[in-house]
Every structure is written in structure tokens, then in C-alpha cells.
Amino acid sequence: MEGQRMATTLHEFTQVLDPKMFPRVLQIQSGIYCQGKSCVYEVFGRECSLSTGDLLKIIDITITRFSARTPSNTEIEIPVEYPGLFKLVADSQPYQSIQEIADSVKISSHRLSQPVFLSGSEIEPAQGVIREGDSFRITAVTRELSGGRVRCELLHREPKICFSLSFSQQGHFTECQDDQFYTLREIAEWKISKVNYLTNKLLIVS
């Protein structure tokens, strides 16, 4: 792996990977050899041979299945195309800053990727006052050299208040429970957190 001498498996690599570090260059150290000195993989339905010493540029990781542990401690694997519906169980651990939220949670203009948080303290952005106990939806994120900002929409208050918070904003922000139902593909693409994706809790609803 570029910039790191210690060898690791692809499974171990993806467990500690920071998505912000793409692209990453890997060098094949060893594999399961099937044909001479080559390791055979299937890529887009076609076999290709990769040899020790070859370099790979990893540009993205796609979730194809979920490994899960049931309450009875049984381990199962569920393909991302599983037809059932699920609810995400909110993380009870509070975030201490907007920077921490932006680094951990998927945020975009897509409606499925606009998380809602409860403020545990009063905040005074330029556009008004966010009281303790108010909930707000993050609708966009902007990253800059000096940090960044998130655009937000205050919920359950009229008239509607939109405001922005800088990454440096400190507070006590708790993720609100999402009562929507999702397919596993929607969860994989829009809802799995960027940092704790290995410990997300799902509730089967159908």
C-alpha cells in the first residue's frame, strides 16, 4: 500500500479505510494463485490475472452484501439486493462538533442523505437562535481550505428558518431516530455512516 510498508488483506484495508483518502494505490504482495504466478479475479463478469508486484488504484468501494449479527449472536450475510425493508437505529452517541458530523455522516442534496439532529444546547447562528431541544435537518455541506460549513433547516417551527453552521461549531448533537423504511441498497448508497459503517444497527420491518 502506498505510504505504508505493512502488508494487509483487502478485507482489513476496507475496515480502516477513510473514504476521503481516495484514490489509493495498492501493490499486490500475495494472493490465491491459480495459474502459474497469477492470481485470477472476476471483474465485471470477466476473468483477469493479477501478479505479485502489480499496482492497483482504488477509486471507490461498493457495498455488495451486509454481514450481520442477530440478537441471538448468529452471523448471516445479506445481499444488497435483498427485497426486504429496514429501519436504521439512531446512534445514541452524541457528536461534539459540526466537523465531527461532516466527517462521519453522508450529507448531500439527495433527500435520503439529509440527516436530522437534536441540539442539546443553545446555538446562535446569524439567522436566529437554535434553542436546546430544537431539531434541524442538514441539507448540504461545503468544504473550504479553512474548514467548511453545513446548511441547515430548523424543523417544527414557523416561519421556516434556514441557517448555516461552521465546522468549528461546538455543541451536543444527537442523531434523531429516522422512522422511514429503506431497502438495503438505499442504506448502502445514502445512509451508512462514513466512519462507523461496520457497526450500524438495522431493524427488519418486512
PDB file of all heavy atoms in Angstrom, residues 26-62:
ATOM      1  N   LEU A  26      -2.544   0.486  -4.269  1.00  0.00           N
ATOM      2  CA  LEU A  26      -2.149  -0.728  -3.556  1.00  0.00           C
ATOM      3  C   LEU A  26      -1.196  -1.537  -4.424  1.00  0.00           C
ATOM      4  O   LEU A  26      -1.308  -1.528  -5.656  1.00  0.00           O
ATOM      5  CB  LEU A  26      -3.372  -1.587  -3.233  1.00  0.00           C
ATOM      6  CG  LEU A  26      -4.560  -0.935  -2.527  1.00  0.00           C
ATOM      7  CD1 LEU A  26      -5.640  -1.979  -2.265  1.00  0.00           C
ATOM      8  CD2 LEU A  26      -4.124  -0.290  -1.232  1.00  0.00           C
ATOM      9  N   GLN A  27      -0.288  -2.231  -3.805  1.00  0.00           N
ATOM     10  CA  GLN A  27       0.588  -3.155  -4.512  1.00  0.00           C
ATOM     11  C   GLN A  27       0.307  -4.568  -4.026  1.00  0.00           C
ATOM     12  O   GLN A  27       0.250  -4.821  -2.827  1.00  0.00           O
ATOM     13  CB  GLN A  27       2.058  -2.828  -4.277  1.00  0.00           C
ATOM     14  CG  GLN A  27       3.002  -3.718  -5.085  1.00  0.00           C
ATOM     15  CD  GLN A  27       4.457  -3.372  -4.849  1.00  0.00           C
ATOM     16  OE1 GLN A  27       4.897  -3.298  -3.708  1.00  0.00           O
ATOM     17  NE2 GLN A  27       5.194  -3.152  -5.930  1.00  0.00           N
ATOM     18  N   ILE A  28       0.076  -5.486  -4.954  1.00  0.00           N
ATOM     19  CA  ILE A  28      -0.230  -6.869  -4.603  1.00  0.00           C
ATOM     20  C   ILE A  28       1.025  -7.547  -4.064  1.00  0.00           C
ATOM     21  O   ILE A  28       2.059  -7.573  -4.720  1.00  0.00           O
ATOM     22  CB  ILE A  28      -0.759  -7.634  -5.829  1.00  0.00           C
ATOM     23  CG1 ILE A  28      -2.056  -6.993  -6.323  1.00  0.00           C
ATOM     24  CG2 ILE A  28      -0.994  -9.102  -5.495  1.00  0.00           C
ATOM     25  CD1 ILE A  28      -2.582  -7.588  -7.616  1.00  0.00           C
ATOM     26  N   GLN A  29       0.928  -8.079  -2.846  1.00  0.00           N
ATOM     27  CA  GLN A  29       2.045  -8.767  -2.217  1.00  0.00           C
ATOM     28  C   GLN A  29       1.930 -10.281  -2.363  1.00  0.00           C
ATOM     29  O   GLN A  29       2.923 -10.973  -2.532  1.00  0.00           O
ATOM     30  CB  GLN A  29       2.104  -8.405  -0.727  1.00  0.00           C
ATOM     31  CG  GLN A  29       2.280  -6.919  -0.468  1.00  0.00           C
ATOM     32  CD  GLN A  29       3.579  -6.395  -1.058  1.00  0.00           C
ATOM     33  OE1 GLN A  29       4.655  -6.932  -0.799  1.00  0.00           O
ATOM     34  NE2 GLN A  29       3.476  -5.350  -1.859  1.00  0.00           N
ATOM     35  N   SER A  30       0.717 -10.805  -2.285  1.00  0.00           N
ATOM     36  CA  SER A  30       0.492 -12.240  -2.452  1.00  0.00           C
ATOM     37  C   SER A  30      -0.995 -12.461  -2.645  1.00  0.00           C
ATOM     38  O   SER A  30      -1.811 -11.573  -2.413  1.00  0.00           O
ATOM     39  CB  SER A  30       0.987 -13.034  -1.225  1.00  0.00           C
ATOM     40  OG  SER A  30       0.243 -12.672  -0.075  1.00  0.00           O
ATOM     41  N   GLY A  31      -1.367 -13.646  -3.086  1.00  0.00           N
ATOM     42  CA  GLY A  31      -2.774 -13.941  -3.309  1.00  0.00           C
ATOM     43  C   GLY A  31      -3.001 -15.434  -3.413  1.00  0.00           C
ATOM     44  O   GLY A  31      -2.134 -16.240  -3.077  1.00  0.00           O
ATOM     45  N   ILE A  32      -4.179 -15.795  -3.864  1.00  0.00           N
ATOM     46  CA  ILE A  32      -4.503 -17.201  -4.088  1.00  0.00           C
ATOM     47  C   ILE A  32      -4.148 -17.519  -5.532  1.00  0.00           C
ATOM     48  O   ILE A  32      -4.817 -17.056  -6.457  1.00  0.00           O
ATOM     49  CB  ILE A  32      -5.999 -17.465  -3.827  1.00  0.00           C
ATOM     50  CG1 ILE A  32      -6.354 -17.070  -2.392  1.00  0.00           C
ATOM     51  CG2 ILE A  32      -6.338 -18.927  -4.070  1.00  0.00           C
ATOM     52  CD1 ILE A  32      -7.828 -17.132  -2.092  1.00  0.00           C
ATOM     53  N   TYR A  33      -3.107 -18.263  -5.735  1.00  0.00           N
ATOM     54  CA  TYR A  33      -2.581 -18.456  -7.084  1.00  0.00           C
ATOM     55  C   TYR A  33      -3.207 -19.672  -7.756  1.00  0.00           C
ATOM     56  O   TYR A  33      -3.206 -20.768  -7.215  1.00  0.00           O
ATOM     57  CB  TYR A  33      -1.058 -18.577  -7.038  1.00  0.00           C
ATOM     58  CG  TYR A  33      -0.429 -17.281  -6.602  1.00  0.00           C
ATOM     59  CD1 TYR A  33      -0.120 -17.055  -5.267  1.00  0.00           C
ATOM     60  CD2 TYR A  33      -0.196 -16.262  -7.513  1.00  0.00           C
ATOM     61  CE1 TYR A  33       0.425 -15.857  -4.850  1.00  0.00           C
ATOM     62  CE2 TYR A  33       0.349 -15.060  -7.115  1.00  0.00           C
ATOM     63  CZ  TYR A  33       0.659 -14.862  -5.785  1.00  0.00           C
ATOM     64  OH  TYR A  33       1.183 -13.670  -5.384  1.00  0.00           O
ATOM     65  N   CYS A  34      -3.732 -19.420  -8.954  1.00  0.00           N
ATOM     66  CA  CYS A  34      -4.440 -20.479  -9.679  1.00  0.00           C
ATOM     67  C   CYS A  34      -3.739 -20.855 -10.980  1.00  0.00           C
ATOM     68  O   CYS A  34      -3.855 -21.977 -11.425  1.00  0.00           O
ATOM     69  CB  CYS A  34      -5.869 -20.025  -9.992  1.00  0.00           C
ATOM     70  SG  CYS A  34      -6.811 -19.530  -8.542  1.00  0.00           S
ATOM     71  N   GLN A  35      -3.035 -19.910 -11.584  1.00  0.00           N
ATOM     72  CA  GLN A  35      -2.415 -20.147 -12.885  1.00  0.00           C
ATOM     73  C   GLN A  35      -0.979 -19.612 -12.844  1.00  0.00           C
ATOM     74  O   GLN A  35      -0.753 -18.422 -12.968  1.00  0.00           O
ATOM     75  CB  GLN A  35      -3.204 -19.454 -14.004  1.00  0.00           C
ATOM     76  CG  GLN A  35      -4.634 -19.973 -14.153  1.00  0.00           C
ATOM     77  CD  GLN A  35      -5.382 -19.209 -15.223  1.00  0.00           C
ATOM     78  OE1 GLN A  35      -4.895 -18.223 -15.759  1.00  0.00           O
ATOM     79  NE2 GLN A  35      -6.581 -19.657 -15.542  1.00  0.00           N
ATOM     80  N   GLY A  36      -0.041 -20.500 -12.604  1.00  0.00           N
ATOM     81  CA  GLY A  36       1.348 -20.066 -12.565  1.00  0.00           C
ATOM     82  C   GLY A  36       1.581 -19.077 -11.449  1.00  0.00           C
ATOM     83  O   GLY A  36       1.313 -19.358 -10.291  1.00  0.00           O
ATOM     84  N   LYS A  37       2.020 -17.877 -11.808  1.00  0.00           N
ATOM     85  CA  LYS A  37       2.300 -16.846 -10.821  1.00  0.00           C
ATOM     86  C   LYS A  37       1.185 -15.808 -10.756  1.00  0.00           C
ATOM     87  O   LYS A  37       1.371 -14.728 -10.208  1.00  0.00           O
ATOM     88  CB  LYS A  37       3.631 -16.169 -11.136  1.00  0.00           C
ATOM     89  CG  LYS A  37       4.841 -17.090 -11.020  1.00  0.00           C
ATOM     90  CD  LYS A  37       6.114 -16.320 -11.266  1.00  0.00           C
ATOM     91  CE  LYS A  37       7.338 -17.223 -11.101  1.00  0.00           C
ATOM     92  NZ  LYS A  37       8.593 -16.491 -11.316  1.00  0.00           N
ATOM     93  N   SER A  38       0.045 -16.120 -11.341  1.00  0.00           N
ATOM     94  CA  SER A  38      -1.020 -15.121 -11.397  1.00  0.00           C
ATOM     95  C   SER A  38      -2.154 -15.459 -10.455  1.00  0.00           C
ATOM     96  O   SER A  38      -2.429 -16.616 -10.173  1.00  0.00           O
ATOM     97  CB  SER A  38      -1.570 -15.014 -12.828  1.00  0.00           C
ATOM     98  OG  SER A  38      -0.581 -14.534 -13.695  1.00  0.00           O
ATOM     99  N   CYS A  39      -2.787 -14.432  -9.951  1.00  0.00           N
ATOM    100  CA  CYS A  39      -3.987 -14.580  -9.125  1.00  0.00           C
ATOM    101  C   CYS A  39      -5.169 -14.170 -10.002  1.00  0.00           C
ATOM    102  O   CYS A  39      -5.161 -13.108 -10.607  1.00  0.00           O
ATOM    103  CB  CYS A  39      -3.887 -13.688  -7.898  1.00  0.00           C
ATOM    104  SG  CYS A  39      -5.274 -13.869  -6.784  1.00  0.00           S
ATOM    105  N   VAL A  40      -6.179 -15.025 -10.115  1.00  0.00           N
ATOM    106  CA  VAL A  40      -7.289 -14.789 -11.034  1.00  0.00           C
ATOM    107  C   VAL A  40      -8.470 -14.189 -10.285  1.00  0.00           C
ATOM    108  O   VAL A  40      -8.916 -14.715  -9.269  1.00  0.00           O
ATOM    109  CB  VAL A  40      -7.708 -16.102 -11.730  1.00  0.00           C
ATOM    110  CG1 VAL A  40      -8.887 -15.858 -12.667  1.00  0.00           C
ATOM    111  CG2 VAL A  40      -6.535 -16.685 -12.493  1.00  0.00           C
ATOM    112  N   TYR A  41      -8.962 -13.068 -10.774  1.00  0.00           N
ATOM    113  CA  TYR A  41     -10.135 -12.412 -10.214  1.00  0.00           C
ATOM    114  C   TYR A  41     -11.190 -12.264 -11.299  1.00  0.00           C
ATOM    115  O   TYR A  41     -10.886 -12.245 -12.492  1.00  0.00           O
ATOM    116  CB  TYR A  41      -9.788 -11.012  -9.684  1.00  0.00           C
ATOM    117  CG  TYR A  41      -8.927 -11.026  -8.452  1.00  0.00           C
ATOM    118  CD1 TYR A  41      -7.538 -11.068  -8.552  1.00  0.00           C
ATOM    119  CD2 TYR A  41      -9.499 -10.986  -7.189  1.00  0.00           C
ATOM    120  CE1 TYR A  41      -6.741 -11.071  -7.429  1.00  0.00           C
ATOM    121  CE2 TYR A  41      -8.708 -10.994  -6.050  1.00  0.00           C
ATOM    122  CZ  TYR A  41      -7.332 -11.026  -6.171  1.00  0.00           C
ATOM    123  OH  TYR A  41      -6.554 -11.029  -5.062  1.00  0.00           O
ATOM    124  N   GLU A  42     -12.443 -12.118 -10.884  1.00  0.00           N
ATOM    125  CA  GLU A  42     -13.512 -11.841 -11.841  1.00  0.00           C
ATOM    126  C   GLU A  42     -13.865 -10.371 -11.737  1.00  0.00           C
ATOM    127  O   GLU A  42     -14.223  -9.871 -10.675  1.00  0.00           O
ATOM    128  CB  GLU A  42     -14.751 -12.685 -11.546  1.00  0.00           C
ATOM    129  CG  GLU A  42     -15.844 -12.510 -12.600  1.00  0.00           C
ATOM    130  CD  GLU A  42     -17.009 -13.451 -12.384  1.00  0.00           C
ATOM    131  OE1 GLU A  42     -16.767 -14.599 -11.975  1.00  0.00           O
ATOM    132  OE2 GLU A  42     -18.154 -13.027 -12.598  1.00  0.00           O
ATOM    133  N   VAL A  43     -13.742  -9.642 -12.833  1.00  0.00           N
ATOM    134  CA  VAL A  43     -14.013  -8.222 -12.877  1.00  0.00           C
ATOM    135  C   VAL A  43     -15.065  -7.956 -13.945  1.00  0.00           C
ATOM    136  O   VAL A  43     -14.846  -8.235 -15.124  1.00  0.00           O
ATOM    137  CB  VAL A  43     -12.733  -7.411 -13.177  1.00  0.00           C
ATOM    138  CG1 VAL A  43     -13.054  -5.924 -13.217  1.00  0.00           C
ATOM    139  CG2 VAL A  43     -11.667  -7.693 -12.130  1.00  0.00           C
ATOM    140  N   PHE A  44     -16.234  -7.444 -13.538  1.00  0.00           N
ATOM    141  CA  PHE A  44     -17.326  -7.167 -14.457  1.00  0.00           C
ATOM    142  C   PHE A  44     -17.646  -8.382 -15.324  1.00  0.00           C
ATOM    143  O   PHE A  44     -17.869  -8.285 -16.528  1.00  0.00           O
ATOM    144  CB  PHE A  44     -17.000  -5.955 -15.341  1.00  0.00           C
ATOM    145  CG  PHE A  44     -16.834  -4.688 -14.573  1.00  0.00           C
ATOM    146  CD1 PHE A  44     -15.603  -4.046 -14.508  1.00  0.00           C
ATOM    147  CD2 PHE A  44     -17.897  -4.122 -13.884  1.00  0.00           C
ATOM    148  CE1 PHE A  44     -15.440  -2.880 -13.786  1.00  0.00           C
ATOM    149  CE2 PHE A  44     -17.737  -2.958 -13.156  1.00  0.00           C
ATOM    150  CZ  PHE A  44     -16.511  -2.333 -13.114  1.00  0.00           C
ATOM    151  N   GLY A  45     -17.647  -9.569 -14.695  1.00  0.00           N
ATOM    152  CA  GLY A  45     -18.024 -10.780 -15.415  1.00  0.00           C
ATOM    153  C   GLY A  45     -16.911 -11.388 -16.223  1.00  0.00           C
ATOM    154  O   GLY A  45     -17.107 -12.412 -16.870  1.00  0.00           O
ATOM    155  N   ARG A  46     -15.733 -10.787 -16.185  1.00  0.00           N
ATOM    156  CA  ARG A  46     -14.604 -11.326 -16.951  1.00  0.00           C
ATOM    157  C   ARG A  46     -13.440 -11.634 -16.015  1.00  0.00           C
ATOM    158  O   ARG A  46     -13.207 -10.920 -15.047  1.00  0.00           O
ATOM    159  CB  ARG A  46     -14.136 -10.323 -18.014  1.00  0.00           C
ATOM    160  CG  ARG A  46     -15.184 -10.048 -19.097  1.00  0.00           C
ATOM    161  CD  ARG A  46     -14.668  -9.018 -20.072  1.00  0.00           C
ATOM    162  NE  ARG A  46     -14.382  -7.746 -19.388  1.00  0.00           N
ATOM    163  CZ  ARG A  46     -13.866  -6.677 -19.990  1.00  0.00           C
ATOM    164  NH1 ARG A  46     -13.538  -6.728 -21.259  1.00  0.00           N
ATOM    165  NH2 ARG A  46     -13.661  -5.566 -19.307  1.00  0.00           N
ATOM    166  N   GLU A  47     -12.711 -12.702 -16.307  1.00  0.00           N
ATOM    167  CA  GLU A  47     -11.551 -13.045 -15.502  1.00  0.00           C
ATOM    168  C   GLU A  47     -10.349 -12.214 -15.914  1.00  0.00           C
ATOM    169  O   GLU A  47     -10.135 -11.949 -17.097  1.00  0.00           O
ATOM    170  CB  GLU A  47     -11.220 -14.533 -15.640  1.00  0.00           C
ATOM    171  CG  GLU A  47     -12.145 -15.447 -14.883  1.00  0.00           C
ATOM    172  CD  GLU A  47     -11.633 -16.872 -14.854  1.00  0.00           C
ATOM    173  OE1 GLU A  47     -10.691 -17.152 -15.613  1.00  0.00           O
ATOM    174  OE2 GLU A  47     -12.167 -17.681 -14.074  1.00  0.00           O
ATOM    175  N   CYS A  48      -9.583 -11.764 -14.936  1.00  0.00           N
ATOM    176  CA  CYS A  48      -8.333 -11.069 -15.241  1.00  0.00           C
ATOM    177  C   CYS A  48      -7.265 -11.603 -14.299  1.00  0.00           C
ATOM    178  O   CYS A  48      -7.564 -12.081 -13.208  1.00  0.00           O
ATOM    179  CB  CYS A  48      -8.478  -9.555 -15.083  1.00  0.00           C
ATOM    180  SG  CYS A  48      -8.772  -9.021 -13.393  1.00  0.00           S
ATOM    181  N   SER A  49      -6.030 -11.577 -14.742  1.00  0.00           N
ATOM    182  CA  SER A  49      -4.925 -12.117 -13.960  1.00  0.00           C
ATOM    183  C   SER A  49      -4.114 -10.974 -13.351  1.00  0.00           C
ATOM    184  O   SER A  49      -3.743 -10.017 -14.037  1.00  0.00           O
ATOM    185  CB  SER A  49      -4.025 -12.983 -14.846  1.00  0.00           C
ATOM    186  OG  SER A  49      -4.734 -14.110 -15.311  1.00  0.00           O
ATOM    187  N   LEU A  50      -3.847 -11.067 -12.067  1.00  0.00           N
ATOM    188  CA  LEU A  50      -3.052 -10.070 -11.364  1.00  0.00           C
ATOM    189  C   LEU A  50      -1.861 -10.772 -10.731  1.00  0.00           C
ATOM    190  O   LEU A  50      -2.009 -11.826 -10.122  1.00  0.00           O
ATOM    191  CB  LEU A  50      -3.895  -9.388 -10.280  1.00  0.00           C
ATOM    192  CG  LEU A  50      -5.187  -8.714 -10.769  1.00  0.00           C
ATOM    193  CD1 LEU A  50      -6.012  -8.238  -9.582  1.00  0.00           C
ATOM    194  CD2 LEU A  50      -4.861  -7.541 -11.679  1.00  0.00           C
ATOM    195  N   SER A  51      -0.680 -10.187 -10.874  1.00  0.00           N
ATOM    196  CA  SER A  51       0.543 -10.816 -10.386  1.00  0.00           C
ATOM    197  C   SER A  51       1.103 -10.059  -9.187  1.00  0.00           C
ATOM    198  O   SER A  51       0.832  -8.861  -9.001  1.00  0.00           O
ATOM    199  CB  SER A  51       1.599 -10.857 -11.493  1.00  0.00           C
ATOM    200  OG  SER A  51       1.112 -11.560 -12.615  1.00  0.00           O
ATOM    201  N   THR A  52       1.910 -10.759  -8.400  1.00  0.00           N
ATOM    202  CA  THR A  52       2.604 -10.120  -7.286  1.00  0.00           C
ATOM    203  C   THR A  52       3.444  -8.955  -7.808  1.00  0.00           C
ATOM    204  O   THR A  52       4.164  -9.087  -8.792  1.00  0.00           O
ATOM    205  CB  THR A  52       3.516 -11.137  -6.580  1.00  0.00           C
ATOM    206  OG1 THR A  52       2.697 -12.170  -6.025  1.00  0.00           O
ATOM    207  CG2 THR A  52       4.309 -10.471  -5.464  1.00  0.00           C
ATOM    208  N   GLY A  53       3.303  -7.810  -7.154  1.00  0.00           N
ATOM    209  CA  GLY A  53       4.020  -6.610  -7.572  1.00  0.00           C
ATOM    210  C   GLY A  53       3.179  -5.658  -8.386  1.00  0.00           C
ATOM    211  O   GLY A  53       3.542  -4.484  -8.544  1.00  0.00           O
ATOM    212  N   ASP A  54       2.049  -6.136  -8.934  1.00  0.00           N
ATOM    213  CA  ASP A  54       1.165  -5.253  -9.703  1.00  0.00           C
ATOM    214  C   ASP A  54       0.595  -4.154  -8.805  1.00  0.00           C
ATOM    215  O   ASP A  54       0.371  -4.356  -7.610  1.00  0.00           O
ATOM    216  CB  ASP A  54       0.003  -6.035 -10.304  1.00  0.00           C
ATOM    217  CG  ASP A  54       0.406  -6.842 -11.527  1.00  0.00           C
ATOM    218  OD1 ASP A  54       1.548  -6.657 -11.993  1.00  0.00           O
ATOM    219  OD2 ASP A  54      -0.412  -7.648 -12.004  1.00  0.00           O
ATOM    220  N   LEU A  55       0.367  -2.984  -9.406  1.00  0.00           N
ATOM    221  CA  LEU A  55      -0.214  -1.849  -8.684  1.00  0.00           C
ATOM    222  C   LEU A  55      -1.681  -1.686  -9.072  1.00  0.00           C
ATOM    223  O   LEU A  55      -2.051  -1.821 -10.241  1.00  0.00           O
ATOM    224  CB  LEU A  55       0.541  -0.561  -8.996  1.00  0.00           C
ATOM    225  CG  LEU A  55       2.022  -0.519  -8.587  1.00  0.00           C
ATOM    226  CD1 LEU A  55       2.629   0.813  -8.998  1.00  0.00           C
ATOM    227  CD2 LEU A  55       2.182  -0.737  -7.095  1.00  0.00           C
ATOM    228  N   LEU A  56      -2.515  -1.391  -8.087  1.00  0.00           N
ATOM    229  CA  LEU A  56      -3.936  -1.126  -8.308  1.00  0.00           C
ATOM    230  C   LEU A  56      -4.266   0.246  -7.745  1.00  0.00           C
ATOM    231  O   LEU A  56      -3.844   0.588  -6.632  1.00  0.00           O
ATOM    232  CB  LEU A  56      -4.812  -2.165  -7.602  1.00  0.00           C
ATOM    233  CG  LEU A  56      -4.653  -3.637  -7.976  1.00  0.00           C
ATOM    234  CD1 LEU A  56      -5.549  -4.485  -7.064  1.00  0.00           C
ATOM    235  CD2 LEU A  56      -5.031  -3.857  -9.428  1.00  0.00           C
ATOM    236  N   LYS A  57      -5.026   1.038  -8.478  1.00  0.00           N
ATOM    237  CA  LYS A  57      -5.511   2.309  -7.949  1.00  0.00           C
ATOM    238  C   LYS A  57      -6.972   2.111  -7.541  1.00  0.00           C
ATOM    239  O   LYS A  57      -7.838   1.884  -8.373  1.00  0.00           O
ATOM    240  CB  LYS A  57      -5.406   3.432  -8.973  1.00  0.00           C
ATOM    241  CG  LYS A  57      -5.926   4.778  -8.437  1.00  0.00           C
ATOM    242  CD  LYS A  57      -5.780   5.888  -9.456  1.00  0.00           C
ATOM    243  CE  LYS A  57      -4.339   6.343  -9.561  1.00  0.00           C
ATOM    244  NZ  LYS A  57      -4.202   7.563 -10.410  1.00  0.00           N
ATOM    245  N   ILE A  58      -7.258   2.174  -6.244  1.00  0.00           N
ATOM    246  CA  ILE A  58      -8.608   2.002  -5.731  1.00  0.00           C
ATOM    247  C   ILE A  58      -9.300   3.360  -5.765  1.00  0.00           C
ATOM    248  O   ILE A  58      -8.863   4.310  -5.100  1.00  0.00           O
ATOM    249  CB  ILE A  58      -8.596   1.452  -4.293  1.00  0.00           C
ATOM    250  CG1 ILE A  58      -7.749   0.183  -4.203  1.00  0.00           C
ATOM    251  CG2 ILE A  58     -10.011   1.199  -3.812  1.00  0.00           C
ATOM    252  CD1 ILE A  58      -8.271  -0.958  -5.029  1.00  0.00           C
ATOM    253  N   ILE A  59     -10.370   3.480  -6.548  1.00  0.00           N
ATOM    254  CA  ILE A  59     -11.070   4.756  -6.686  1.00  0.00           C
ATOM    255  C   ILE A  59     -12.430   4.760  -6.006  1.00  0.00           C
ATOM    256  O   ILE A  59     -13.028   5.817  -5.799  1.00  0.00           O
ATOM    257  CB  ILE A  59     -11.239   5.133  -8.176  1.00  0.00           C
ATOM    258  CG1 ILE A  59     -12.037   4.060  -8.917  1.00  0.00           C
ATOM    259  CG2 ILE A  59      -9.878   5.344  -8.836  1.00  0.00           C
ATOM    260  CD1 ILE A  59     -12.349   4.429 -10.359  1.00  0.00           C
ATOM    261  N   ASP A  60     -12.933   3.599  -5.619  1.00  0.00           N
ATOM    262  CA  ASP A  60     -14.239   3.561  -4.977  1.00  0.00           C
ATOM    263  C   ASP A  60     -14.444   2.178  -4.355  1.00  0.00           C
ATOM    264  O   ASP A  60     -13.799   1.208  -4.755  1.00  0.00           O
ATOM    265  CB  ASP A  60     -15.355   3.846  -5.986  1.00  0.00           C
ATOM    266  CG  ASP A  60     -16.692   4.136  -5.326  1.00  0.00           C
ATOM    267  OD1 ASP A  60     -16.700   4.392  -4.102  1.00  0.00           O
ATOM    268  OD2 ASP A  60     -17.721   4.108  -6.023  1.00  0.00           O
ATOM    269  N   ILE A  61     -15.314   2.114  -3.367  1.00  0.00           N
ATOM    270  CA  ILE A  61     -15.718   0.853  -2.777  1.00  0.00           C
ATOM    271  C   ILE A  61     -17.235   0.766  -2.834  1.00  0.00           C
ATOM    272  O   ILE A  61     -17.926   1.701  -2.430  1.00  0.00           O
ATOM    273  CB  ILE A  61     -15.231   0.730  -1.320  1.00  0.00           C
ATOM    274  CG1 ILE A  61     -13.708   0.563  -1.287  1.00  0.00           C
ATOM    275  CG2 ILE A  61     -15.898  -0.453  -0.623  1.00  0.00           C
ATOM    276  CD1 ILE A  61     -13.145   0.441   0.109  1.00  0.00           C
ATOM    277  N   THR A  62     -17.737  -0.335  -3.359  1.00  0.00           N
ATOM    278  CA  THR A  62     -19.167  -0.542  -3.474  1.00  0.00           C
ATOM    279  C   THR A  62     -19.590  -1.684  -2.554  1.00  0.00           C
ATOM    280  O   THR A  62     -18.985  -2.753  -2.580  1.00  0.00           O
ATOM    281  CB  THR A  62     -19.563  -0.887  -4.927  1.00  0.00           C
ATOM    282  OG1 THR A  62     -19.165   0.190  -5.779  1.00  0.00           O
ATOM    283  CG2 THR A  62     -21.070  -1.076  -5.047  1.00  0.00           C
TER     284      THR A  62
END
